Amino acid sequence: MATDAVAQLADSLAKTQVTEGELSYKGQGRKFDNAQSVEEMVKEIQEFKGLQALRLEGNTYGVEAAQAIAKALETKSEFKYCYWSDMFTGRLRSEIPPALNSLGAALMTAGARLTVLDLSDNAFGPDGVKGIEKLLKSTACHTLQELRLNNCGMGIGGGKILAAALTECYKQSSSQGTPLGLKVFIAGRNRLENDGATALAQAFQLMGSLEEVHVPQNGINHPGVTALATAMQHNPQLRVLNLNDNTFTKKGAIAMAQALKHLRSVQVINFGDCLVRSEGAIAIAEAITEGLPILKELNLSFGEITGEAALLVAQSVEGKATLEKLDLNGNCLGEEGCDALREVMDGLNMGDLLGSLSDDEGEPEEDDEDDEDEEEDDYEEEEEEDDDVEEEDSSVNQVSSPLSVPRPPDASSFLCFPSPDKLLKLGTKRALLFEQQVDVADAGKTAEAFLKISSVYNEEDKDVKSAVLDSIDAILRKAFTNPSFQGYNFISSLLVMLGLLKSEDKVKPVRVVPGHLQALEYVVRQDYFPQDHIAVLEAFMSRHVQALESCSSARNILKATLEQVR
């Protein structure tokens, strides 16, 4: 008797309202093939007054069963919540669209105004998206706040159909004075790839109302990530951003970092297993330093991030009173890097917020010294070839045009083959010439120009020293005072070119000379140089790397200055 009572209670709790206005058949594991199999359910739906939510998940429904349920929903005008995930297990792909079509049509007939539509874990592919296309475009979805389509196998085609439907819904609802205000979008494990993600990004940008976006495991690379980053900038209320297990690389990470600078409400960032790498991590760290005042969770795990970049990420969360977890597991810190990271977090009184580092991949292998020597030899050979070319050009000019006037020096010629003499011959307008020659909108080209000019720096020659500092001062002041200039990209490019940071791009480092560091020491003391970049430079200048061994005195002076201005 007691057993029967317990069974009845369990059955009652499973299929009746859990909250006001809700009827639930969740997780019963039943198979409903035809109208007869759902007769009891249909009756309960018909008799349920004020039905607002129906939970069908965890069972499997055939076309006839779905049509019978749909018929019962046609009179439910107060209906708001569709919890219909995992309801087609074992069904043919061809059965799902008509089943969804009938359910959607019923909601439109009823005049329902949906708040939640959850069709996750149904693996219905692009055809399934077609099955809800009419519903998404209808007035029933003008009030939609949560759309959950996790693990549905939509693919690129389904993503494009979904994006078009959401766009149409937004336009139609806007024309009626009540624009679609979707807050939560979940579509993980759908193989959206770049094209699907880009299409959805356009819809997201149009809506501008999103608070949570979850699109993990979708095979999205940097073009799709960049499109999503642009869209996120137009959603100022965004709180949760989950792109776990996609592939950012440097380009995508920098684009996402730029987007984060425009957002103040973000609480959770999950870029784990996204291959953000060190350059991307540095960019994200700077974005966090500048903003994100209520950040709670930051996941940059398994991203091929090195120790120095990880330390900058740790330093970026200083003062984030709401932080609950920082996950940097599975990166390339090495034992010493892990210890240093824990030390930094302990120093910030945030040691308990740092996640496990048990899956750290260890420090990346340094290039063999022989390889570095070969690179230096190649660099020297290139310089010799450049000198030979200049000499040949000069002799040709002398033979062919003995009476011709020598061509006046210009900034482009200097940047191709820098020399102190050429710099001085540019005259008093050299700073203006460099400003005109260097495209400061391109952070990489700006960094390259800085290294070319500073390579001829000479502390003993006052004229050359003054010419170098005036020139780089003009270029960098113009760059850093430009609101669109990506300063973290400049620093990242500079570190790569100096051989202090590995890049996914095949960039051949320059041979570091004291002038590079001496000029940089001057720059960091100027008012236009952002304070946020000081910690980045300090971390990398503290490394014991072969590239800086020949400039130990200049490096020590730069390190001391960085400590003073920090």
Side-chain angles (χ1 to χ4, degrees):
M1 197 67 179
T3 303
D4 291 340
V6 171
Q8 290 174 358
L9 177 60
D11 182 62
S12 176
L13 288 173
K15 70 181 182 181
T16 56
Q17 59 199 69
V18 177
T19 59
E20 184 179 357
E22 179 180 294
L23 185 59
S24 177
Y25 300 89
K26 179 180 179 180
Q28 295 183 11
R30 298 172 65 184
K31 187 177 182 181
F32 301 102
D33 293 324
N34 48 43
Q36 185 178 358
S37 65
V38 292
E39 280 182 352
E40 183 181 349
M41 185 187 300
V42 167
K43 183 180 179 181
E44 290 173 345
I45 292 173
Q46 291 172 335
E47 294 177 351
F48 197 115
K49 294 182 179 180
L51 181 65
Q52 295 184 27
L54 179 62
R55 290 190 174 274
L56 298 176
E57 65 262 54
N59 304 290
T60 179
Y61 304 83
V63 176
E64 289 186 17
Q67 289 172 341
I69 294 170
K71 190 67 177 177
L73 289 172
E74 287 181 353
T75 60
K76 303 301 177 181
S77 60
E78 298 177 44
F79 196 78
K80 296 180 180 179
Y81 307 98
C82 302
Y83 298 110
W84 297 348
S85 63
D86 188 21
M87 58 181 283
F88 296 114
T89 300
R91 300 293 170 181
L92 296 174
R93 181 72 67 89
S94 60
E95 293 183 82
I96 300 176
L100 291 173
N101 263 318
S102 60
L103 290 166
L107 297 177
M108 290 185 276
T109 300
R113 292 292 185 269
L114 296 184
T115 300
V116 176
L117 178 58
D118 185 356
L119 290 166
S120 298
D121 301 315
N122 279 312
F124 48 50
D127 289 340
V129 184
K130 292 179 182 178
I132 60 171
E133 186 177 7
K134 289 182 180 178
L135 174 63
L136 289 171
K137 292 179 178 180
S138 73
T139 56
C141 285
H142 286 188
T143 53
L144 194 64
Q145 294 184 14
E146 298 185 18
L147 180 58
R148 301 171 182 266
L149 297 169
N150 200 58
N151 191 31
C152 288
M154 290 188 289
I156 295 172
K160 290 182 175 180
I161 295 169
L162 177 61
L166 290 173
T167 299
E168 181 64 22
C169 182
Y170 178 82
K171 290 179 178 178
Q172 292 292 336
S173 58
S174 296
S175 67
Q176 297 179 21
T178 55
L180 172 65
L182 189 68
K183 294 181 179 179
V184 177
F185 180 84
I186 301 175
R189 300 183 67 186
N190 271 290
R191 304 192 309 275
L192 294 172
E193 300 183 19
N194 290 331
D195 289 347
T198 299
L200 285 166
Q202 293 171 352
F204 296 161
Q205 183 168 331
L206 191 64
M207 292 186 290
S209 57
L210 289 167
E211 296 180 8
E212 293 188 28
V213 175
H214 302 261
V215 285
Q217 295 184 337
N218 269 294
I220 307 171
N221 299 326
H222 74 80
V225 172
T226 299
L228 288 169
T230 300
M232 292 307 102
Q233 294 184 39
H234 297 269
N235 288 265
Q237 301 307 312
L238 189 70
R239 295 183 293 104
V240 179
L241 185 56
N242 177 8
L243 277 85
N244 187 282
D245 200 9
N246 290 291
T247 307
F248 282 35
T249 61
K250 180 183 73 172
K251 292 180 180 178
I254 288 177
M256 197 58 74
Q258 185 66 22
L260 291 174
K261 289 189 173 186
H262 296 267
L263 302 170
R264 302 286 296 174
S265 301
V266 173
Q267 298 178 18
V268 177
I269 297 173
N270 187 346
F271 296 160
D273 205 12
C274 283
L275 211 64
V276 299
R277 296 197 170 119
S278 296
E279 292 174 274
I282 292 171
I284 292 169
E286 293 201 9
I288 293 170
T289 300
E290 294 180 16
L292 304 182
I294 56 174
L295 184 65
K296 288 185 177 180
E297 296 182 21
L298 174 61
N299 183 349
L300 295 178
S301 60
F302 298 94
E304 293 190 2
I305 300 169
T306 57
E308 293 81 5
L311 292 180
L312 294 171
V313 173
Q315 292 167 357
S316 74
V317 301
E318 181 178 6
K320 307 295 181 186
T322 56
L323 191 73
E324 297 175 359
K325 184 176 182 181
L326 172 61
D327 189 349
L328 287 166
N329 197 19
N331 283 299
C332 305
L333 312 186
E335 186 175 345
E336 291 184 4
C338 289
D339 290 341
L341 180 60
R342 294 188 187 99
E343 184 178 339
V344 168
M345 291 299 287
D346 286 339
L348 298 175
N349 294 320
M350 292 180 164
D352 57 333
L353 306 183
L354 179 63
S356 170
L357 299 174
S358 59
D359 294 320
D360 186 72
E361 297 286 344
E363 287 187 79
E365 294 183 6
E366 293 288 341
D367 294 332
D368 293 333
E369 290 185 9
D370 292 340
D371 292 341
E372 291 179 355
D373 291 339
E374 288 177 10
E375 285 185 1
E376 289 184 5
D377 291 341
D378 290 343
Y379 184 89
E380 289 172 0
E381 288 174 7
E382 284 181 8
E383 284 194 321
E384 290 172 3
E385 290 174 4
D386 292 342
D387 290 340
D388 292 342
V389 169
E390 285 188 281
E391 289 173 5
E392 289 174 10
D393 288 344
S394 176
S395 61
V396 168
N397 286 335
Q398 289 174 4
V399 172
S400 60
S401 305
L403 300 177
S404 62
V405 178
R407 187 176 62 180
D410 57 66
S412 62
S413 174
F414 170 85
L415 291 173
C416 288
F417 310 111
S419 73
D421 185 54
K422 281 185 180 179
L423 182 64
L424 293 177
K425 285 182 177 178
L426 290 175
T428 57
K429 292 185 178 181
R430 66 179 68 88
L432 178 61
L433 293 174
F434 282 124
E435 280 190 60
Q436 295 171 343
Q437 180 66 34
V438 179
D439 179 12
V440 296
D442 188 321
K445 290 181 179 178
T446 304
E448 185 179 2
F450 168 81
L451 291 176
K452 289 285 184 71
I453 297 171
S454 60
S455 68
V456 303
Y457 181 95
N458 187 342
E459 186 71 30
E460 305 300 323
D461 190 325
K462 291 184 178 180
D463 291 337
V464 173
K465 175 182 176 180
S466 177
V468 167
L469 297 183
D470 286 347
S471 299
I472 61 175
D473 205 33
I475 294 172
L476 295 187
R477 185 178 295 278
K478 181 180 178 181
F480 281 112
T481 53
N482 184 345
S484 63
F485 184 68
Q486 296 183 344
Y488 50 80
N489 202 352
F490 168 81
I491 295 296
S492 177
S493 298
L494 193 64
L495 293 171
V496 168
M497 292 176 190
L498 289 172
L500 304 180
L501 179 64
K502 287 190 176 182
S503 173
E504 62 195 54
D505 301 324
K506 293 184 178 179
V507 177
K508 188 173 183 178
V510 303
R511 183 174 53 189
V512 183
V513 296
H516 291 141
L517 306 186
Q518 290 167 323
L520 191 55
E521 190 273 338
Y522 165 81
V523 169
V524 300
R525 290 187 278 110
Q526 305 311 304
D527 57 0
Y528 57 77
F529 193 80
Q531 187 71 22
D532 295 339
H533 298 336
I534 300 296
V536 180
L537 289 174
E538 189 174 8
F540 280 87
M541 286 301 151
S542 299
R543 292 183 63 192
H544 297 289
V545 292
Q546 187 173 356
L548 299 179
E549 285 183 1
S550 61
C551 310
S552 57
S553 177
R555 180 176 68 168
N556 290 337
I557 294 172
L558 175 57
K559 283 173 60 180
T561 300
L562 290 169
E563 290 176 5
Q564 291 173 2
V565 299
R566 184 161 48 120

